[in-house]
Amino acid sequence: MEKVRFPDTGYIFKDEQLVQTALTHSSYANEAHGRDVVCNERLEFLGDSVLNMLAAEYLYGNFSRFAEGDLTKLRASLVCEGALYKVATDIGLGDCLLLGHGEERSGGRGRPSVLADAMEAVLGAMYLDGGLEPVRKFLTPYFESGSAEAIKKHTLCDYKTALQEIVQKNKQELICYKVTDASGPEHDKTFTATLYLNSNPLTRGTGKSKKEAEQNAAKAALELMGEL
């Protein structure tokens, strides 16, 4: 098998054959004509499980107030093809792959599905070579940025509900929201909502709608309480 450049994971493999296998697409192995060449599909299978487990571990430890449904949605955003493609692109994985001639000609080196699968294979190889810790260290920055981006897009948590669940544990505590400012032209207003705890202003949030402003005020309160 020809030697390849290894992707920039920051991890030094003790067994270089493992990562070499992780970079071998099935199309290359199929064109090996009897040579002992193993493709990356088994490592991909392993890496998928490692990725999902570490994503779940990260979310469980860092988003204690998220319900199971929100955690499931958030994990899906961290392990999907698009997320893996971004990681693969960041480390230059496409340039390192061993592809068959047909896959090469058809643009496989930059195809998201090919890169995402190979990324999982690299994670599997890293796990076999060094255990969970190097994989965890490599993935954590991507988990941090990916979860923040998913939450920013409002695809996940209802912050007002999450805050209410915390506050209602103490029946003496009451929260309410008031729109305290609206600026900009009529077709493009920005609203400011103030969150009051027992009639005392606690946090503020802004948004392009009153609902968004209230959600951001609730999010700020959760951050203030150390819940996000």
Side-chain angles (χ1 to χ4, degrees):
M1 183 187 293
E2 63 185 272
K3 296 292 288 184
V4 296
R5 180 171 69 85
F6 288 174
D8 185 19
T9 62
Y11 175 72
I12 300 175
F13 280 84
K14 297 182 285 292
D15 182 356
E16 293 190 353
Q17 183 58 49
L18 269 174
V19 69
Q20 185 102 350
T21 299
L23 299 173
T24 303
H25 190 262
S26 57
S27 62
Y28 183 92
N30 291 338
E31 293 179 7
H33 303 299
R35 287 180 289 147
D36 187 18
V37 177
V38 180
C39 75
N40 61 10
E41 290 176 351
R42 282 172 53 83
L43 282 174
E44 176 194 337
F45 165 78
L46 178 61
D48 174 71
S49 296
V50 172
L51 171 65
N52 275 274
M53 191 279 286
L54 288 176
E57 176 193 73
Y58 173 81
L59 296 173
Y60 185 85
N62 288 277
F63 296 89
S64 60
R65 293 297 174 179
F66 276 36
E68 179 188 2
D70 282 330
L71 291 174
T72 299
K73 292 177 186 177
L74 189 47
R75 181 180 60 185
S77 73
L78 298 182
V79 304
C80 68
E81 180 180 290
L84 287 165
Y85 175 69
K86 181 184 185 307
V87 179
T89 302
D90 283 352
I91 65 173
L93 183 56
D95 294 334
C96 305
L97 297 179
L98 290 171
L99 301 175
H101 296 301
E103 190 67 35
E104 182 80 67
R105 287 193 298 268
S106 66
R109 199 169 292 281
R111 186 175 296 123
S113 59
V114 171
L115 287 172
D117 290 347
M119 191 66 246
E120 288 180 332
V122 169
L123 296 176
M126 194 184 300
Y127 166 71
L128 288 178
D129 194 70
L132 280 176
E133 190 52 40
V135 189
R136 183 184 290 114
K137 181 180 178 181
F138 171 69
L139 287 175
T140 295
Y142 292 102
F143 289 162
E144 291 173 345
S145 60
S147 57
E149 183 63 25
I151 292 171
K152 184 179 179 181
K153 291 179 179 178
H154 301 285
T155 57
L156 297 168
C157 189
D158 179 348
Y159 298 112
K160 291 177 67 175
T161 299
L163 180 62
Q164 185 64 41
E165 288 175 353
I166 296 170
V167 172
Q168 68 186 12
K169 293 178 182 178
N170 186 342
K171 298 186 183 300
Q172 296 179 338
E173 302 287 351
L174 296 173
I175 58 173
C176 68
Y177 302 84
K178 293 181 180 178
V179 176
T180 50
D181 188 44
S183 59
E186 199 63 37
H187 66 281
D188 189 27
K189 281 188 176 296
T190 297
F191 296 91
T192 299
T194 300
L195 185 158
Y196 292 84
L197 177 64
N198 298 330
S199 302
N200 298 311
L202 182 65
T203 57
R204 291 182 175 83
T206 61
K208 288 300 181 180
S209 68
K210 295 177 182 179
K211 181 178 179 180
E212 182 182 13
E214 291 176 355
Q215 285 282 356
N216 285 331
K219 179 184 178 184
L222 289 168
E223 291 173 340
L224 186 65
M225 295 175 180
E227 300 293 340
L228 286 181

